[in-house]
Amino acid sequence: MKIVIINSGSSSIKYQLIKMPANEVICSGLIDRIGLETSNLSYETKENRIEEIMSIPNHKEGLKKVAQLLLDEKVGVIKSTSEIEAVGHRVVHGGSTFTHTVIINKEVKEKIEKLFDLAPLHNPANLEGINVAEEIFENAKQIAVFDTAFHQTIPVVAHKYAIPNKLLTENKIRVYGFHGTSHKYVSEQAILYLRDNLKIKASKIISIHLGNGCSMTAVKDGKSIDHTLGFAPMNGLIMGTRCGDIDQSIIFYMVNSLGYTLDEVNTLLQKQSGMLGLTGFSDLRDIEANAEKGNKDCQLALAMNAYRIKKYIGSYAAALNGLDAIVFTAGIGENSSYIRKLVCTDMDYFGIELDDAKNNIRSKTIREINTKNSKTKILIIPTNEEEEIAKQVHELLLS
């Protein structure tokens, strides 16, 4: 069974063509910096690798480019779209409606659209991916895998807000959690690693997903018990354009005293804040490059970013009542030695001791970057949301 996996992030598209159940990756690639003049495109098969810099204004144009490459006479891997039996889509927000992987139909799409306001940077891109895939792979089953599903195990003491009860029971306002596909994949990989290397059966892990969107999950014995993102993917850590945690009274002050409309506040906090608001750049590679050149705003923003992560490590170590490992994953988590060093400095109280030499090694495999004396393992585990999505799609179609 050939399955195309489409993982649309807020400014990126990761994609793979996977043959199941062998879990054979036929091709893979990434488009990032979508919306900028210098979007990066990569496409890789066993025989070919293509890397291009071009302007990709939106997700629709990006997905059309992916389809062109899959069907290309020279570098393509399929001769007809009829070879594709299923397309698996990562969908960020499933609300209280979707707790499991589902086959997409008109009703499912309508419900995904109703959740736009809760994930305005993601669900529209996810639905766009579904609509374009339906046009391109018209004979394939379209399947949705929801980021919120992994976090259904968060206990009520952690997922309920201290607001009137009816807002949970009637309006389903609660912590939902996001990046669940990634957190599920890397935490399972971490558990296997700890069992094989340390013979640890029970496990207390903090998974740190750092990309343009960022989140952390406390994972106890394989189950999510707390998470930094809440009702919508906006709070918690400092992100590319999102502010993360903020005193909600600031919103009322901006509206009542500074004359902002609610729509303007929403746009500011979602699309003009975070690292972009602090530095003028939304891509961490640009921020790190300018920080190294002495840009004070960029240096401070990176320090603030790391400080927020450290605060949550302390919080989740308390919630877990211990800590076996922290896991860095996703684009920034896997590739930024700068951020990892800032996060792991002065964390010896938690048994976290970073080995600088190991931290600077680039690799695509699971690896430790802690010292031999570190009581807590510091792991880099490349996330593979596409593999996790393919597994869930295949299981659904066989059920």
mmCIF file of all heavy atoms in Angstrom, residues 118-166:
data_model
loop_
_atom_site.group_PDB
_atom_site.id
_atom_site.type_symbol
_atom_site.label_atom_id
_atom_site.label_comp_id
_atom_site.label_asym_id
_atom_site.label_seq_id
_atom_site.Cartn_x
_atom_site.Cartn_y
_atom_site.Cartn_z
ATOM 1 N N LEU A 118 -9.551 28.269 16.453
ATOM 2 C CA LEU A 118 -8.721 27.734 17.530
ATOM 3 C C LEU A 118 -7.307 27.396 17.061
ATOM 4 O O LEU A 118 -6.403 27.284 17.883
ATOM 5 C CB LEU A 118 -9.374 26.479 18.128
ATOM 6 C CG LEU A 118 -10.773 26.673 18.707
ATOM 7 C CD1 LEU A 118 -11.234 25.401 19.402
ATOM 8 C CD2 LEU A 118 -10.800 27.847 19.675
ATOM 9 N N ALA A 119 -7.127 27.243 15.762
ATOM 10 C CA ALA A 119 -5.784 26.981 15.218
ATOM 11 C C ALA A 119 -5.648 27.727 13.896
ATOM 12 O O ALA A 119 -5.532 27.123 12.831
ATOM 13 C CB ALA A 119 -5.568 25.482 15.023
ATOM 14 N N PRO A 120 -5.639 29.069 13.935
ATOM 15 C CA PRO A 120 -5.708 29.864 12.703
ATOM 16 C C PRO A 120 -4.473 29.775 11.817
ATOM 17 O O PRO A 120 -4.552 30.080 10.625
ATOM 18 C CB PRO A 120 -5.911 31.295 13.226
ATOM 19 C CG PRO A 120 -5.333 31.282 14.600
ATOM 20 C CD PRO A 120 -5.634 29.921 15.144
ATOM 21 N N LEU A 121 -3.334 29.380 12.370
ATOM 22 C CA LEU A 121 -2.134 29.241 11.548
ATOM 23 C C LEU A 121 -2.012 27.848 10.941
ATOM 24 O O LEU A 121 -1.191 27.634 10.046
ATOM 25 C CB LEU A 121 -0.876 29.534 12.385
ATOM 26 C CG LEU A 121 -0.752 30.924 13.003
ATOM 27 C CD1 LEU A 121 0.592 31.066 13.697
ATOM 28 C CD2 LEU A 121 -0.932 32.011 11.965
ATOM 29 N N HIS A 122 -2.826 26.889 11.438
ATOM 30 C CA HIS A 122 -2.624 25.497 11.058
ATOM 31 C C HIS A 122 -3.826 24.851 10.369
ATOM 32 O O HIS A 122 -3.696 24.307 9.275
ATOM 33 C CB HIS A 122 -2.253 24.674 12.301
ATOM 34 C CG HIS A 122 -0.963 25.089 12.921
ATOM 35 N ND1 HIS A 122 -0.886 26.075 13.871
ATOM 36 C CD2 HIS A 122 0.308 24.638 12.735
ATOM 37 C CE1 HIS A 122 0.379 26.227 14.238
ATOM 38 N NE2 HIS A 122 1.118 25.381 13.566
ATOM 39 N N ASN A 123 -4.987 24.868 11.029
ATOM 40 C CA ASN A 123 -6.132 24.163 10.449
ATOM 41 C C ASN A 123 -6.481 24.635 9.036
ATOM 42 O O ASN A 123 -6.820 23.809 8.188
ATOM 43 C CB ASN A 123 -7.346 24.256 11.376
ATOM 44 C CG ASN A 123 -7.388 23.112 12.382
ATOM 45 O OD1 ASN A 123 -6.343 22.666 12.854
ATOM 46 N ND2 ASN A 123 -8.572 22.628 12.712
ATOM 47 N N PRO A 124 -6.392 25.943 8.735
ATOM 48 C CA PRO A 124 -6.635 26.341 7.342
ATOM 49 C C PRO A 124 -5.638 25.701 6.374
ATOM 50 O O PRO A 124 -6.023 25.255 5.286
ATOM 51 C CB PRO A 124 -6.482 27.867 7.380
ATOM 52 C CG PRO A 124 -6.835 28.240 8.785
ATOM 53 C CD PRO A 124 -6.278 27.126 9.628
ATOM 54 N N ALA A 125 -4.360 25.653 6.777
ATOM 55 C CA ALA A 125 -3.346 25.017 5.924
ATOM 56 C C ALA A 125 -3.603 23.521 5.807
ATOM 57 O O ALA A 125 -3.433 22.925 4.734
ATOM 58 C CB ALA A 125 -1.948 25.272 6.493
ATOM 59 N N ASN A 126 -4.022 22.901 6.910
ATOM 60 C CA ASN A 126 -4.339 21.468 6.881
ATOM 61 C C ASN A 126 -5.498 21.178 5.935
ATOM 62 O O ASN A 126 -5.445 20.234 5.140
ATOM 63 C CB ASN A 126 -4.692 20.974 8.287
ATOM 64 C CG ASN A 126 -3.603 21.171 9.321
ATOM 65 O OD1 ASN A 126 -3.899 21.290 10.508
ATOM 66 N ND2 ASN A 126 -2.353 21.225 8.897
ATOM 67 N N LEU A 127 -6.560 21.999 6.004
ATOM 68 C CA LEU A 127 -7.716 21.796 5.137
ATOM 69 C C LEU A 127 -7.362 22.075 3.680
ATOM 70 O O LEU A 127 -7.841 21.383 2.771
ATOM 71 C CB LEU A 127 -8.878 22.684 5.589
ATOM 72 C CG LEU A 127 -10.201 22.481 4.836
ATOM 73 C CD1 LEU A 127 -10.678 21.033 4.931
ATOM 74 C CD2 LEU A 127 -11.279 23.415 5.375
ATOM 75 N N GLU A 128 -6.512 23.071 3.457
ATOM 76 C CA GLU A 128 -6.046 23.350 2.098
ATOM 77 C C GLU A 128 -5.322 22.131 1.527
ATOM 78 O O GLU A 128 -5.517 21.746 0.367
ATOM 79 C CB GLU A 128 -5.101 24.552 2.102
ATOM 80 C CG GLU A 128 -4.671 25.026 0.725
ATOM 81 C CD GLU A 128 -5.802 25.698 -0.035
ATOM 82 O OE1 GLU A 128 -6.310 26.739 0.413
ATOM 83 O OE2 GLU A 128 -6.181 25.154 -1.094
ATOM 84 N N GLY A 129 -4.504 21.507 2.370
ATOM 85 C CA GLY A 129 -3.801 20.298 1.940
ATOM 86 C C GLY A 129 -4.762 19.180 1.582
ATOM 87 O O GLY A 129 -4.553 18.452 0.596
ATOM 88 N N ILE A 130 -5.815 19.040 2.353
ATOM 89 C CA ILE A 130 -6.826 18.010 2.069
ATOM 90 C C ILE A 130 -7.520 18.286 0.739
ATOM 91 O O ILE A 130 -7.669 17.397 -0.098
ATOM 92 C CB ILE A 130 -7.853 17.950 3.223
ATOM 93 C CG1 ILE A 130 -7.197 17.412 4.502
ATOM 94 C CG2 ILE A 130 -9.052 17.079 2.832
ATOM 95 C CD1 ILE A 130 -8.037 17.590 5.754
ATOM 96 N N ASN A 131 -7.928 19.540 0.538
ATOM 97 C CA ASN A 131 -8.645 19.889 -0.696
ATOM 98 C C ASN A 131 -7.779 19.695 -1.932
ATOM 99 O O ASN A 131 -8.236 19.183 -2.956
ATOM 100 C CB ASN A 131 -9.143 21.336 -0.615
ATOM 101 C CG ASN A 131 -10.278 21.511 0.381
ATOM 102 O OD1 ASN A 131 -11.056 20.581 0.615
ATOM 103 N ND2 ASN A 131 -10.383 22.689 0.982
ATOM 104 N N VAL A 132 -6.513 20.110 -1.842
ATOM 105 C CA VAL A 132 -5.613 19.949 -2.983
ATOM 106 C C VAL A 132 -5.339 18.470 -3.232
ATOM 107 O O VAL A 132 -5.314 18.008 -4.384
ATOM 108 C CB VAL A 132 -4.295 20.713 -2.750
ATOM 109 C CG1 VAL A 132 -3.299 20.427 -3.878
ATOM 110 C CG2 VAL A 132 -4.555 22.209 -2.654
ATOM 111 N N ALA A 133 -5.152 17.697 -2.162
ATOM 112 C CA ALA A 133 -4.887 16.258 -2.310
ATOM 113 C C ALA A 133 -6.074 15.534 -2.921
ATOM 114 O O ALA A 133 -5.900 14.578 -3.688
ATOM 115 C CB ALA A 133 -4.543 15.657 -0.946
ATOM 116 N N GLU A 134 -7.281 15.959 -2.589
ATOM 117 C CA GLU A 134 -8.474 15.349 -3.191
ATOM 118 C C GLU A 134 -8.507 15.573 -4.703
ATOM 119 O O GLU A 134 -8.948 14.703 -5.464
ATOM 120 C CB GLU A 134 -9.734 15.927 -2.547
ATOM 121 C CG GLU A 134 -10.000 15.393 -1.142
ATOM 122 C CD GLU A 134 -11.223 16.021 -0.508
ATOM 123 O OE1 GLU A 134 -11.589 17.172 -0.893
ATOM 124 O OE2 GLU A 134 -11.824 15.388 0.379
ATOM 125 N N GLU A 135 -8.016 16.738 -5.134
ATOM 126 C CA GLU A 135 -7.967 17.027 -6.566
ATOM 127 C C GLU A 135 -6.893 16.199 -7.268
ATOM 128 O O GLU A 135 -7.108 15.687 -8.369
ATOM 129 C CB GLU A 135 -7.678 18.518 -6.786
ATOM 130 C CG GLU A 135 -8.777 19.447 -6.305
ATOM 131 C CD GLU A 135 -8.384 20.914 -6.458
ATOM 132 O OE1 GLU A 135 -7.349 21.175 -7.116
ATOM 133 O OE2 GLU A 135 -9.082 21.779 -5.914
ATOM 134 N N ILE A 136 -5.727 16.077 -6.617
ATOM 135 C CA ILE A 136 -4.587 15.406 -7.248
ATOM 136 C C ILE A 136 -4.702 13.886 -7.163
ATOM 137 O O ILE A 136 -4.498 13.175 -8.144
ATOM 138 C CB ILE A 136 -3.270 15.879 -6.594
ATOM 139 C CG1 ILE A 136 -3.075 17.381 -6.804
ATOM 140 C CG2 ILE A 136 -2.070 15.094 -7.156
ATOM 141 C CD1 ILE A 136 -1.953 17.976 -5.987
ATOM 142 N N PHE A 137 -5.032 13.387 -5.964
ATOM 143 C CA PHE A 137 -5.123 11.938 -5.733
ATOM 144 C C PHE A 137 -6.597 11.569 -5.556
ATOM 145 O O PHE A 137 -7.046 11.196 -4.475
ATOM 146 C CB PHE A 137 -4.308 11.545 -4.500
ATOM 147 C CG PHE A 137 -2.875 12.013 -4.540
ATOM 148 C CD1 PHE A 137 -2.462 13.110 -3.796
ATOM 149 C CD2 PHE A 137 -1.944 11.358 -5.331
ATOM 150 C CE1 PHE A 137 -1.149 13.550 -3.829
ATOM 151 C CE2 PHE A 137 -0.620 11.784 -5.368
ATOM 152 C CZ PHE A 137 -0.223 12.889 -4.623
ATOM 153 N N GLU A 138 -7.343 11.698 -6.630
ATOM 154 C CA GLU A 138 -8.808 11.627 -6.536
ATOM 155 C C GLU A 138 -9.324 10.224 -6.210
ATOM 156 O O GLU A 138 -10.456 10.079 -5.744
ATOM 157 C CB GLU A 138 -9.436 12.126 -7.835
ATOM 158 C CG GLU A 138 -8.968 11.413 -9.076
ATOM 159 C CD GLU A 138 -9.542 12.024 -10.340
ATOM 160 O OE1 GLU A 138 -10.111 13.130 -10.260
ATOM 161 O OE2 GLU A 138 -9.432 11.386 -11.407
ATOM 162 N N ASN A 139 -8.512 9.185 -6.428
ATOM 163 C CA ASN A 139 -8.953 7.824 -6.127
ATOM 164 C C ASN A 139 -8.507 7.339 -4.750
ATOM 165 O O ASN A 139 -8.877 6.244 -4.327
ATOM 166 C CB ASN A 139 -8.429 6.854 -7.191
ATOM 167 C CG ASN A 139 -9.009 7.139 -8.565
ATOM 168 O OD1 ASN A 139 -10.189 7.461 -8.681
ATOM 169 N ND2 ASN A 139 -8.187 7.043 -9.598
ATOM 170 N N ALA A 140 -7.709 8.133 -4.071
ATOM 171 C CA ALA A 140 -7.139 7.719 -2.784
ATOM 172 C C ALA A 140 -8.072 8.049 -1.630
ATOM 173 O O ALA A 140 -8.841 9.014 -1.679
ATOM 174 C CB ALA A 140 -5.794 8.401 -2.561
ATOM 175 N N LYS A 141 -7.996 7.240 -0.578
ATOM 176 C CA LYS A 141 -8.683 7.557 0.673
ATOM 177 C C LYS A 141 -7.921 8.705 1.348
ATOM 178 O O LYS A 141 -6.699 8.682 1.431
ATOM 179 C CB LYS A 141 -8.690 6.352 1.612
ATOM 180 C CG LYS A 141 -9.495 5.163 1.121
ATOM 181 C CD LYS A 141 -10.972 5.361 1.375
ATOM 182 C CE LYS A 141 -11.758 4.094 1.069
ATOM 183 N NZ LYS A 141 -13.204 4.284 1.261
ATOM 184 N N GLN A 142 -8.656 9.700 1.806
ATOM 185 C CA GLN A 142 -8.050 10.812 2.540
ATOM 186 C C GLN A 142 -8.281 10.576 4.034
ATOM 187 O O GLN A 142 -9.415 10.385 4.473
ATOM 188 C CB GLN A 142 -8.664 12.137 2.106
ATOM 189 C CG GLN A 142 -8.625 12.396 0.605
ATOM 190 C CD GLN A 142 -7.245 12.677 0.068
ATOM 191 O OE1 GLN A 142 -6.385 13.246 0.766
ATOM 192 N NE2 GLN A 142 -6.995 12.271 -1.176
ATOM 193 N N ILE A 143 -7.184 10.571 4.813
ATOM 194 C CA ILE A 143 -7.247 10.222 6.231
ATOM 195 C C ILE A 143 -6.688 11.368 7.072
ATOM 196 O O ILE A 143 -5.647 11.937 6.738
ATOM 197 C CB ILE A 143 -6.417 8.944 6.538
ATOM 198 C CG1 ILE A 143 -6.730 7.824 5.534
ATOM 199 C CG2 ILE A 143 -6.644 8.487 7.974
ATOM 200 C CD1 ILE A 143 -8.088 7.245 5.622
ATOM 201 N N ALA A 144 -7.364 11.695 8.164
ATOM 202 C CA ALA A 144 -6.902 12.747 9.073
ATOM 203 C C ALA A 144 -6.384 12.143 10.370
ATOM 204 O O ALA A 144 -7.058 11.327 10.992
ATOM 205 C CB ALA A 144 -8.035 13.727 9.368
ATOM 206 N N VAL A 145 -5.173 12.560 10.739
ATOM 207 C CA VAL A 145 -4.573 12.182 12.018
ATOM 208 C C VAL A 145 -4.430 13.464 12.830
ATOM 209 O O VAL A 145 -3.793 14.424 12.382
ATOM 210 C CB VAL A 145 -3.195 11.513 11.817
ATOM 211 C CG1 VAL A 145 -2.554 11.190 13.161
ATOM 212 C CG2 VAL A 145 -3.341 10.244 10.974
ATOM 213 N N PHE A 146 -5.004 13.495 14.028
ATOM 214 C CA PHE A 146 -5.120 14.735 14.792
ATOM 215 C C PHE A 146 -4.040 14.857 15.875
ATOM 216 O O PHE A 146 -3.804 13.920 16.645
ATOM 217 C CB PHE A 146 -6.508 14.831 15.432
ATOM 218 C CG PHE A 146 -7.613 14.933 14.424
ATOM 219 C CD1 PHE A 146 -8.227 13.791 13.931
ATOM 220 C CD2 PHE A 146 -8.013 16.167 13.943
ATOM 221 C CE1 PHE A 146 -9.234 13.872 12.980
ATOM 222 C CE2 PHE A 146 -9.025 16.266 12.992
ATOM 223 C CZ PHE A 146 -9.629 15.116 12.507
ATOM 224 N N ASP A 147 -3.428 16.050 15.909
ATOM 225 C CA ASP A 147 -2.395 16.320 16.910
ATOM 226 C C ASP A 147 -2.927 16.246 18.340
ATOM 227 O O ASP A 147 -2.182 15.976 19.273
ATOM 228 C CB ASP A 147 -1.828 17.726 16.691
ATOM 229 C CG ASP A 147 -0.593 17.706 15.809
ATOM 230 O OD1 ASP A 147 -0.180 16.616 15.382
ATOM 231 O OD2 ASP A 147 -0.041 18.787 15.549
ATOM 232 N N THR A 148 -4.196 16.545 18.501
ATOM 233 C CA THR A 148 -4.773 16.609 19.839
ATOM 234 C C THR A 148 -5.047 15.219 20.440
ATOM 235 O O THR A 148 -5.238 15.103 21.647
ATOM 236 C CB THR A 148 -6.097 17.393 19.788
ATOM 237 O OG1 THR A 148 -6.862 16.953 18.652
ATOM 238 C CG2 THR A 148 -5.845 18.882 19.636
ATOM 239 N N ALA A 149 -5.047 14.175 19.611
ATOM 240 C CA ALA A 149 -5.467 12.850 20.088
ATOM 241 C C ALA A 149 -4.545 12.288 21.174
ATOM 242 O O ALA A 149 -5.012 11.697 22.155
ATOM 243 C CB ALA A 149 -5.540 11.872 18.914
ATOM 244 N N PHE A 150 -3.225 12.467 21.032
ATOM 245 C CA PHE A 150 -2.268 11.909 21.996
ATOM 246 C C PHE A 150 -2.489 12.472 23.400
ATOM 247 O O PHE A 150 -2.198 11.811 24.403
ATOM 248 C CB PHE A 150 -0.842 12.201 21.527
ATOM 249 C CG PHE A 150 0.240 11.727 22.458
ATOM 250 C CD1 PHE A 150 0.364 10.387 22.805
ATOM 251 C CD2 PHE A 150 1.160 12.623 22.999
ATOM 252 C CE1 PHE A 150 1.366 9.943 23.659
ATOM 253 C CE2 PHE A 150 2.168 12.196 23.844
ATOM 254 C CZ PHE A 150 2.272 10.845 24.175
ATOM 255 N N HIS A 151 -3.023 13.673 23.473
ATOM 256 C CA HIS A 151 -3.147 14.354 24.764
ATOM 257 C C HIS A 151 -4.476 14.096 25.475
ATOM 258 O O HIS A 151 -4.773 14.728 26.494
ATOM 259 C CB HIS A 151 -2.938 15.856 24.567
ATOM 260 C CG HIS A 151 -1.608 16.199 23.979
ATOM 261 N ND1 HIS A 151 -0.417 15.955 24.624
ATOM 262 C CD2 HIS A 151 -1.282 16.740 22.770
ATOM 263 C CE1 HIS A 151 0.582 16.349 23.852
ATOM 264 N NE2 HIS A 151 0.090 16.825 22.733
ATOM 265 N N GLN A 152 -5.259 13.160 24.961
ATOM 266 C CA GLN A 152 -6.523 12.829 25.618
ATOM 267 C C GLN A 152 -6.300 12.191 26.987
ATOM 268 O O GLN A 152 -7.235 12.092 27.787
ATOM 269 C CB GLN A 152 -7.343 11.894 24.727
ATOM 270 C CG GLN A 152 -7.827 12.537 23.435
ATOM 271 C CD GLN A 152 -8.742 13.728 23.673
ATOM 272 O OE1 GLN A 152 -9.712 13.624 24.409
ATOM 273 N NE2 GLN A 152 -8.428 14.854 23.058
ATOM 274 N N THR A 153 -5.074 11.746 27.266
ATOM 275 C CA THR A 153 -4.766 11.123 28.563
ATOM 276 C C THR A 153 -4.413 12.151 29.639
ATOM 277 O O THR A 153 -4.205 11.766 30.802
ATOM 278 C CB THR A 153 -3.597 10.132 28.417
ATOM 279 O OG1 THR A 153 -2.469 10.802 27.816
ATOM 280 C CG2 THR A 153 -3.982 8.949 27.552
ATOM 281 N N ILE A 154 -4.328 13.425 29.288
ATOM 282 C CA ILE A 154 -4.039 14.440 30.305
ATOM 283 C C ILE A 154 -5.159 14.436 31.340
ATOM 284 O O ILE A 154 -6.333 14.586 30.991
ATOM 285 C CB ILE A 154 -3.903 15.839 29.674
ATOM 286 C CG1 ILE A 154 -2.692 15.887 28.728
ATOM 287 C CG2 ILE A 154 -3.760 16.919 30.743
ATOM 288 C CD1 ILE A 154 -2.539 17.205 27.983
ATOM 289 N N PRO A 155 -4.840 14.259 32.624
ATOM 290 C CA PRO A 155 -5.898 14.161 33.644
ATOM 291 C C PRO A 155 -6.643 15.470 33.829
ATOM 292 O O PRO A 155 -6.131 16.548 33.486
ATOM 293 C CB PRO A 155 -5.122 13.774 34.900
ATOM 294 C CG PRO A 155 -3.724 14.259 34.673
ATOM 295 C CD PRO A 155 -3.491 14.114 33.195
ATOM 296 N N VAL A 156 -7.832 15.387 34.379
ATOM 297 C CA VAL A 156 -8.686 16.558 34.517
ATOM 298 C C VAL A 156 -8.023 17.642 35.358
ATOM 299 O O VAL A 156 -8.206 18.836 35.110
ATOM 300 C CB VAL A 156 -10.064 16.160 35.099
ATOM 301 C CG1 VAL A 156 -9.947 15.618 36.512
ATOM 302 C CG2 VAL A 156 -11.027 17.353 35.040
ATOM 303 N N VAL A 157 -7.224 17.261 36.357
ATOM 304 C CA VAL A 157 -6.560 18.257 37.195
ATOM 305 C C VAL A 157 -5.627 19.139 36.372
ATOM 306 O O VAL A 157 -5.362 20.292 36.732
ATOM 307 C CB VAL A 157 -5.786 17.568 38.351
ATOM 308 C CG1 VAL A 157 -4.579 16.789 37.829
ATOM 309 C CG2 VAL A 157 -5.348 18.576 39.410
ATOM 310 N N ALA A 158 -5.161 18.618 35.240
ATOM 311 C CA ALA A 158 -4.252 19.376 34.379
ATOM 312 C C ALA A 158 -4.954 19.986 33.173
ATOM 313 O O ALA A 158 -4.511 21.014 32.657
ATOM 314 C CB ALA A 158 -3.107 18.475 33.911
ATOM 315 N N HIS A 159 -6.042 19.363 32.699
ATOM 316 C CA HIS A 159 -6.653 19.894 31.476
ATOM 317 C C HIS A 159 -7.821 20.845 31.736
ATOM 318 O O HIS A 159 -8.294 21.517 30.815
ATOM 319 C CB HIS A 159 -7.077 18.760 30.522
ATOM 320 C CG HIS A 159 -8.368 18.073 30.847
ATOM 321 N ND1 HIS A 159 -8.450 16.700 31.000
ATOM 322 C CD2 HIS A 159 -9.641 18.523 31.008
ATOM 323 C CE1 HIS A 159 -9.696 16.361 31.243
ATOM 324 N NE2 HIS A 159 -10.437 17.453 31.264
ATOM 325 N N LYS A 160 -8.274 20.941 32.965
ATOM 326 C CA LYS A 160 -9.399 21.823 33.259
ATOM 327 C C LYS A 160 -8.906 23.195 33.707
ATOM 328 O O LYS A 160 -7.978 23.314 34.500
ATOM 329 C CB LYS A 160 -10.272 21.208 34.361
ATOM 330 C CG LYS A 160 -11.546 21.986 34.647
ATOM 331 C CD LYS A 160 -12.418 21.263 35.658
ATOM 332 C CE LYS A 160 -13.714 22.027 35.919
ATOM 333 N NZ LYS A 160 -14.589 21.326 36.891
ATOM 334 N N TYR A 161 -9.539 24.247 33.159
ATOM 335 C CA TYR A 161 -9.225 25.614 33.565
ATOM 336 C C TYR A 161 -10.076 26.019 34.772
ATOM 337 O O TYR A 161 -11.187 25.512 34.953
ATOM 338 C CB TYR A 161 -9.482 26.587 32.417
ATOM 339 C CG TYR A 161 -8.533 26.434 31.248
ATOM 340 C CD1 TYR A 161 -8.991 25.945 30.018
ATOM 341 C CD2 TYR A 161 -7.189 26.776 31.366
ATOM 342 C CE1 TYR A 161 -8.127 25.816 28.936
ATOM 343 C CE2 TYR A 161 -6.318 26.638 30.291
ATOM 344 C CZ TYR A 161 -6.790 26.160 29.086
ATOM 345 O OH TYR A 161 -5.937 26.024 28.018
ATOM 346 N N ALA A 162 -9.561 26.956 35.564
ATOM 347 C CA ALA A 162 -10.264 27.429 36.759
ATOM 348 C C ALA A 162 -11.278 28.513 36.376
ATOM 349 O O ALA A 162 -11.199 29.669 36.783
ATOM 350 C CB ALA A 162 -9.269 27.960 37.786
ATOM 351 N N ILE A 163 -12.236 28.119 35.576
ATOM 352 C CA ILE A 163 -13.334 28.981 35.130
ATOM 353 C C ILE A 163 -14.634 28.215 35.389
ATOM 354 O O ILE A 163 -14.587 27.024 35.730
ATOM 355 C CB ILE A 163 -13.190 29.353 33.636
ATOM 356 C CG1 ILE A 163 -13.026 28.087 32.770
ATOM 357 C CG2 ILE A 163 -12.003 30.278 33.430
ATOM 358 C CD1 ILE A 163 -12.888 28.365 31.281
ATOM 359 N N PRO A 164 -15.804 28.846 35.285
ATOM 360 C CA PRO A 164 -17.053 28.138 35.599
ATOM 361 C C PRO A 164 -17.169 26.792 34.898
ATOM 362 O O PRO A 164 -16.841 26.650 33.714
ATOM 363 C CB PRO A 164 -18.135 29.117 35.125
ATOM 364 C CG PRO A 164 -17.505 30.462 35.345
ATOM 365 C CD PRO A 164 -16.062 30.278 35.001
ATOM 366 N N ASN A 165 -17.629 25.795 35.632
ATOM 367 C CA ASN A 165 -17.665 24.413 35.153
ATOM 368 C C ASN A 165 -18.402 24.244 33.823
ATOM 369 O O ASN A 165 -18.028 23.404 33.003
ATOM 370 C CB ASN A 165 -18.322 23.515 36.207
ATOM 371 C CG ASN A 165 -17.464 23.347 37.437
ATOM 372 O OD1 ASN A 165 -16.245 23.334 37.350
ATOM 373 N ND2 ASN A 165 -18.093 23.224 38.595
ATOM 374 N N LYS A 166 -19.442 25.037 33.608
ATOM 375 C CA LYS A 166 -20.242 24.849 32.396
ATOM 376 C C LYS A 166 -19.440 25.114 31.124
ATOM 377 O O LYS A 166 -19.774 24.620 30.049
ATOM 378 C CB LYS A 166 -21.479 25.740 32.426
ATOM 379 C CG LYS A 166 -21.197 27.234 32.339
ATOM 380 C CD LYS A 166 -22.498 28.034 32.298
ATOM 381 C CE LYS A 166 -22.233 29.524 32.143
ATOM 382 N NZ LYS A 166 -23.500 30.303 32.086
#
